[in-house]
Amino acid sequence: MSLGTSLHLKYLICPQIPSLARYLQSSDSFKIYRYCSSLQITSLNNSLSGLIPEEIHGCEELENFAASNNQLQGDIPSSMGLLKSLKILNLANNSLSGSIPVALSRLSNLTYLNLLGNELSGEIPSELNQLVQLETLDLSENNLSGAISLLNSQLKNLESLVLSNNALTGSIPGNFCLRNSNLQQLLLARNKLSGKFPLELLNCSSLQQLDLSDNRFEGELPSLLDKLQNLKDLALNNNSFIGALPREIGNMSNLENLFLFHNLITGGIPMEIGKLQMLSVISLYENQMSGQIPIELTNCTNLTAIDFFGNHFTGSIPATIGRLKNLFRLHLRQNYLSGPIPPSLGYCKRLQFLALADNQLSGSLPPTFRFLSELSLVTLYNNSFEGPLPTSLFLLKSLKIINFSHNRFNGTIFPLSGSNALTVLDLTNNSFSGPIPSTLAMSRNLSRIRLAQNHFIGNISSIFGHLTELKFLDLSFNDLSAGLPPELSKCRKLEHLLLNNNQFTGTMPPWLGSLQELGELDLSSNQFYGTVPAELGNCSRLLKLSFQSNNLSGEIPPEIGNLTSLNVLALQRNNLLGSIPSTIQQCKKLYELRFSENFLTGSIPSELGSLTELQVILDLSKNHFIGEIPSSLGNLVKLERLNLSSNQLQGEIPSSLGELTSLHMLNLSNNHLQGQLPSTFSGFPLSSFLGNDRLCGPPLLSCSESVRQRKKELSNSEVVGIIVVIVFISTVICFVMLYIMLRIWCKWREVSISSADSGGTEKKREEGKWVYGDEKRRGEYWKVNSLSPVSSQDKRTSGIACIFQLKMDSEAM
């Protein structure tokens, strides 16, 4: 068909017809409009691209032009303002740019204008107020800015005005709406509008949907809000409204959806809320509301969703909550609710989402929970629930997410293993006991199992190897024992494996190296022995590796350097030998390194200085390192704690360590270090340097005082030596002198006795009188003396007798 000067087409509707689409996408795609003067309806949906031609004005009788969901670009041609017959213009979801042409205001018959989802910018032309026949105007999801200049007082036939997702500013005009308007839908969400709640909107009595969410409105909600009697949906969320929820809201009898979340609303929920028989959704989360949840709320029997998360509500959950037969979502998390879960909750049989976490609820779970057959998610964590779980929970086959962590539940967890649809099970920090049920492995989509801080016993069943979707397994702080089943190597998606603080035994399995998605591996505080598997070097995504407090031996494998993403490496309190491998320098992202309390030897590798991200701690204490502290450690400028104590390090402390300005804990004690401390170390306690006899400088003695002290200590030792020599010599001399005096005296005594025997009786008597006293005493003396062998001519015997006589004389005296 050749195109003449005019085509009497009235309808051109082009769905996805390939041949026509190729033509319409060509450079001549819009030339048809030069000749279709009688065309009335055009509907093009062929992934068109390019510009809208100015020649479009040739279709003088065009009434409906719909080219939405294409890839049209460029400006909207002003020539479209010449299409006097146009009633519907739909250019939604293209890539049109530029401003909205003022010429569109000349389309006096236009009833529908939809430009949403483009890249239009600039202000909304106030001339559009001349489109008095307009019923629907949608300019949402563009880049429009400036104030709202459209007035419903002029657009009297307007029923729907959608300006959401732009950058409009200012407030809503005071003369925006007149009484008896036809406006039913006003959507201004996600702009930058500000000011108080526009009272002018209360004149729009025909409004059914009002969305002012995600703006900057503030102030209190007006008590005259109930003037909007026909309102069904009220969305004021994500603003800064304050004050209490007005009681008059109970008069809005047609209200179905109430969204006030993420504001600054205070006070309680008015009991008048119970009059809203049509209410389906009430969302008040993330405000500052308080008081009790009114029991009148349960009169709203059409409620399907209640969300009061993140407020300050107190008291108990209404005992009549079971009246809400249509309820499928109940979110009361992060409040101050107390008391038990009311048994009537079990009669909300359509309930799928139950979130009661972060409250002060207590008691045990009611047996009526067994009626919640559609329950998919239940979170009760951070409460004070206690007691064993009802066995009837095993009947809940739709459960996908269970979080009962941080409560006081006890007994077996078997009732929670009835569902094969589980994806998350978190029972951390309770008092559950017994073995871990192998039936959990029937939920093949389980991705997270967290059973830490309980009293589980037994081993890990090999059947858990079937959980191929498992990403998080935390069984830490229990009483589990035996070795790790090799079937766990089939859980190739594991990212977190936390088995610390149990009683696992055996060697570290090499198959751990096959879990290449691992980001966290913690097997600390168990009874593992043997060597650190070199295969762990294959876990290149590992961020944390902790084997502390086991019985591991052997050397640290050099393959540890392959863990280039590692942040934490903790191997302390084992029996590791050898030196630190130089490949550790490849772990550039390490910020915590602990090798303390092992039997590591050799010098501290200078390569540690290249780990410049080290921040939390570098702990090499209680090993057998020798040599000097490498000066390269001065490169660790982020380091906060350094512990090199209880080694055999020598030499001076490198001055570069004094430049570690982030350091707030330092321990170099019990080594053989010497020399002056860097001046920046003066703020550390004395205990940081004790056990290094030749260190000096603050907080120790100054180096000059330290030298004098050592000299003083040397002088004192010399004095002590001299004193010892003098005492020894004096003692020898005293013994020699005493011996000589005794010999002289005994000689003299021998001579005196000999003289007495030769005839000097009177002289002897006189001498005895002076020496021994009265006659009786003298008789005793001679009685004893007569026993002495003094008559012997042997000098040695005479000497002994002399000494014996001296002793007897002393006793007599």
Side-chain angles (χ1 to χ4, degrees):
M1 179 182 69
S2 60
L3 296 177
T5 56
S6 176
L7 290 178
H8 298 286
L9 288 175
K10 289 189 176 182
Y11 306 101
L12 178 57
I13 301 175
C14 299
Q16 292 288 349
I17 302 175
S19 59
L20 183 59
R22 284 192 296 271
Y23 171 74
L24 292 174
Q25 291 174 11
S26 67
S27 58
D28 295 330
S29 60
F30 281 98
K31 289 182 179 180
I32 190 172
Y33 291 109
R34 299 178 184 178
Y35 311 104
C36 299
S37 58
S38 301
L39 195 62
Q40 296 179 1
I41 298 176
T42 301
S43 180
L44 304 174
N45 185 8
N46 285 276
S47 299
L48 298 176
S49 60
L51 307 176
I52 300 175
E54 289 286 344
E55 293 83 356
I56 192 70
H57 67 84
C59 301
E60 299 173 354
E61 298 184 15
L62 191 62
E63 297 180 359
N64 184 340
F65 182 72
S68 61
N69 301 304
N70 285 288
Q71 301 175 23
L72 300 177
Q73 300 173 342
D75 295 346
I76 299 174
S78 298
S79 60
M80 295 197 85
L82 300 176
L83 302 176
K84 301 295 185 178
S85 301
L86 198 62
K87 296 180 179 180
I88 296 175
L89 176 58
N90 186 355
L91 299 176
N93 296 318
N94 281 283
S95 299
L96 299 170
S97 57
S99 59
I100 299 174
V102 176
L104 294 183
S105 62
R106 296 198 292 266
L107 302 175
S108 57
N109 292 310
L110 201 63
T111 61
Y112 181 94
L113 175 58
N114 190 346
L115 303 179
L116 80 87
N118 282 283
E119 300 172 10
L120 301 172
S121 58
E123 297 186 359
I124 301 174
S126 59
E127 288 81 0
L128 294 185
N129 285 312
Q130 300 173 19
L131 301 175
V132 293
Q133 302 297 324
L134 201 61
E135 297 176 358
T136 299
L137 175 60
D138 192 342
L139 306 179
S140 60
E141 298 182 31
N142 281 283
N143 300 316
L144 301 172
S145 58
I148 296 176
S149 57
L150 300 174
L151 303 176
N152 184 233
S153 56
Q154 297 183 32
L155 301 173
K156 296 181 180 181
N157 291 308
L158 195 63
E159 297 179 355
S160 176
L161 176 60
V162 184
L163 304 178
S164 305
N165 292 87
N166 280 288
L168 301 174
T169 56
S171 58
I172 296 177
N175 56 346
F176 178 79
C177 198
L178 295 178
R179 296 182 183 275
N180 302 320
S181 72
N182 292 317
L183 192 63
Q184 298 177 17
Q185 185 183 54
L186 178 60
L187 308 182
L188 305 178
R190 291 172 291 282
N191 279 285
K192 300 178 182 180
L193 300 172
S194 58
K196 294 185 178 181
F197 185 94
L199 296 178
E200 296 75 20
L201 293 182
L202 300 180
N203 294 326
C204 301
S205 57
S206 57
L207 266 180
Q208 297 182 15
Q209 290 181 304
L210 175 60
D211 189 353
L212 304 181
S213 61
D214 292 279
N215 279 286
R216 301 173 182 176
F217 291 111
E218 57 187 7
E220 297 185 0
L221 298 178
S223 59
L224 298 177
L225 200 58
D226 59 340
K227 292 179 65 176
L228 301 176
Q229 286 291 322
N230 294 305
L231 202 63
K232 294 181 179 180
D233 301 322
L234 177 60
L236 304 178
N237 50 283
N238 293 306
N239 281 286
S240 298
F241 290 115
I242 61 173
L245 192 61
R247 292 182 300 173
E248 290 77 7
I249 200 168
N251 299 326
M252 303 173 70
S253 56
N254 290 305
L255 195 62
E256 297 178 4
N257 299 299
L258 177 60
F259 300 101
L260 296 176
F261 59 88
H262 209 283
N263 278 284
L264 303 172
I265 297 175
T266 56
I269 300 175
M271 63 180 63
E272 287 80 4
I273 202 83
K275 297 190 296 182
L276 301 178
Q277 296 295 312
M278 303 297 293
L279 193 63
S280 176
V281 176
I282 179 170
S283 185
L284 306 178
Y285 68 84
E286 290 184 337
N287 278 285
Q288 300 175 13
M289 303 185 73
S290 57
Q292 296 190 0
I293 299 175
I295 196 171
E296 289 80 5
L297 183 64
T298 62
N299 294 332
C300 304
T301 53
N302 282 318
L303 272 172
T304 59
I306 298 175
D307 196 337
F308 295 164
F309 159 72
N311 280 281
H312 307 295
F313 291 117
T314 56
S316 59
I317 300 172
T320 55
I321 192 77
R323 298 177 59 186
L324 305 179
K325 306 296 184 183
N326 297 312
L327 195 65
F328 81 92
R329 178 184 179 92
L330 179 59
H331 194 176
L332 304 179
R333 180 182 155 227
Q334 203 170 314
N335 281 282
Y336 298 97
L337 299 173
S338 57
I341 297 177
S344 69
L345 183 64
Y347 303 121
C348 300
K349 296 184 179 181
R350 295 185 179 179
L351 196 63
Q352 298 180 20
F353 183 103
L354 177 61
L356 304 179
D358 294 309
N359 278 286
Q360 300 170 8
L361 299 169
S362 58
S364 58
L365 297 187
T368 53
F369 255 53
R370 68 181 183 274
F371 300 129
L372 302 177
S373 58
E374 297 184 18
L375 193 62
S376 173
L377 179 148
V378 53
T379 58
L380 306 179
Y381 58 88
N382 290 336
N383 279 287
S384 298
F385 292 115
E386 58 188 4
L389 301 175
T391 56
S392 58
L393 294 183
F394 191 83
L395 302 174
L396 304 183
K397 304 298 185 180
S398 299
L399 280 174
K400 293 183 179 179
I401 298 176
I402 301 175
N403 192 336
F404 289 177
S405 62
H406 304 285
N407 279 284
R408 302 172 188 170
F409 290 115
N410 56 46
T412 178
I413 64 170
F414 181 77
L416 299 179
S417 62
S419 172
N420 295 339
L422 280 177
T423 59
V424 175
L425 177 63
D426 192 342
L427 307 178
T428 304
N429 192 16
N430 279 280
S431 296
F432 290 115
S433 57
I436 299 173
S438 59
T439 49
L440 288 176
M442 300 302 293
S443 295
R444 298 301 171 84
N445 291 321
L446 255 176
S447 62
R448 296 173 68 89
I449 300 178
R450 305 194 66 176
L451 307 179
Q453 298 176 324
N454 282 282
H455 305 294
F456 293 112
I457 59 173
N459 59 357
I460 301 176
S461 173
S462 60
I463 199 172
F464 281 94
H466 295 164
L467 300 177
T468 55
E469 298 297 319
L470 195 61
K471 295 182 179 180
F472 202 121
L473 179 59
D474 184 359
L475 306 179
S476 59
F477 294 93
N478 280 286
D479 296 316
L480 299 169
S481 56
L484 302 183
E487 287 78 7
L488 282 182
S489 62
K490 299 177 183 177
C491 303
R492 296 300 177 88
K493 294 183 179 181
L494 262 178
E495 298 175 0
H496 303 268
L497 180 58
L498 310 179
L499 304 178
N500 52 291
N501 294 85
N502 278 282
Q503 300 178 31
F504 290 114
T505 58
T507 58
M508 289 283 182
W511 54 257
L512 289 171
S514 66
L515 304 178
Q516 298 187 18
E517 297 297 320
L518 271 181
E520 183 178 16
L521 177 59
D522 193 342
L523 304 181
S524 60
S525 299
N526 280 287
Q527 300 174 23
F528 290 110
Y529 55 85
T531 60
V532 178
E535 290 80 0
L536 285 174
N538 298 327
C539 303
S540 57
R541 298 187 180 185
L542 207 57
L543 300 177
K544 177 183 178 181
L545 175 61
S546 180
F547 289 168
Q548 68 186 62
S549 301
N550 279 283
N551 298 312
L552 299 176
S553 56
E555 297 186 354
I556 301 173
E559 288 81 1
I560 208 79
N562 296 338
L563 306 179
T564 54
S565 298
L566 204 60
N567 297 147
V568 177
L569 178 57
L571 302 179
Q572 69 269 31
R573 292 192 289 278
N574 279 286
N575 301 314
L576 298 173
L577 305 170
S579 59
I580 299 176
S582 59
T583 55
I584 194 75
Q585 64 181 317
Q586 298 168 204
C587 304
K588 300 292 187 182
K589 297 181 180 180
L590 271 175
Y591 64 77
E592 181 176 344
L593 179 58
R594 299 175 187 264
F595 286 162
S596 62
E597 299 183 56
N598 280 286
F599 298 96
L600 298 174
T601 56
S603 59
I604 297 175
S606 60
E607 289 85 356
L608 290 181
S610 65
L611 305 178
T612 54
E613 293 300 317
L614 273 176
Q615 178 177 349
V616 176
I617 192 171
L618 171 59
D619 190 353
L620 307 179
S621 62
K622 297 182 180 179
N623 279 284
H624 301 295
F625 290 116
I626 60 174
E628 297 184 349
I629 299 174
S631 60
S632 61
L633 295 188
N635 299 329
L636 309 179
V637 294
K638 297 180 181 180
L639 194 62
E640 297 175 355
R641 293 185 290 172
L642 175 62
N643 192 346
L644 306 179
S645 64
S646 300
N647 281 286
Q648 301 172 26
L649 300 173
Q650 301 173 342
E652 296 186 354
I653 298 174
S655 59
S656 60
L657 293 189
E659 300 174 5
L660 300 179
T661 55
S662 298
L663 210 60
H664 61 74
M665 192 285 283
L666 174 65
N667 193 348
L668 304 177
S669 63
N670 299 312
N671 281 286
H672 305 297
L673 300 171
Q674 62 183 16
Q676 185 170 1
L677 292 172
S679 59
T680 54
F681 284 4
S682 60
F684 292 108
L686 189 65
S687 59
S688 296
F689 311 104
L690 293 179
N692 295 281
D693 296 337
R694 293 184 174 273
L695 277 180
C696 60
L700 301 172
L701 293 174
S702 65
C703 291
S704 57
E705 291 179 355
S706 179
V707 172
R708 286 198 298 269
Q709 182 70 24
R710 287 199 297 272
K711 289 182 179 179
K712 183 178 179 180
E713 290 173 358
L714 182 60
S715 177
N716 287 341
S717 63
E718 291 175 348
V719 170
V720 171
I722 293 172
I723 292 174
V724 170
V725 172
I726 291 174
V727 169
F728 176 76
I729 295 174
S730 300
T731 302
V732 172
I733 293 173
C734 287
F735 275 109
V736 171
M737 293 296 293
L738 181 60
Y739 176 77
I740 294 172
M741 291 177 65
L742 286 173
R743 293 283 299 183
I744 293 172
W745 191 85
C746 290
K747 200 71 175 177
W748 174 81
R749 185 64 180 160
E750 181 182 346
V751 173
S752 298
I753 294 174
S754 299
S755 299
D757 290 341
S758 64
T761 306
E762 289 298 326
K763 184 177 180 181
K764 180 175 64 178
R765 183 182 296 115
E766 186 67 21
E767 181 182 341
K769 181 179 179 181
W770 285 105
V771 177
Y772 302 108
D774 57 16
E775 193 68 27
K776 182 178 178 181
R777 189 68 176 172
R778 188 165 57 250
E780 293 176 355
Y781 169 72
W782 287 112
K783 183 178 179 180
V784 176
N785 195 44
S786 65
L787 299 175
S788 177
V790 294
S791 59
S792 173
Q793 298 303 313
D794 189 294
K795 292 183 179 181
R796 181 178 179 183
T797 306
S798 176
I800 295 173
C802 178
I803 294 173
F804 178 72
Q805 184 63 51
L806 175 63
K807 179 179 180 183
M808 297 303 296
D809 289 349
S810 300
E811 291 177 354
M813 292 177 62

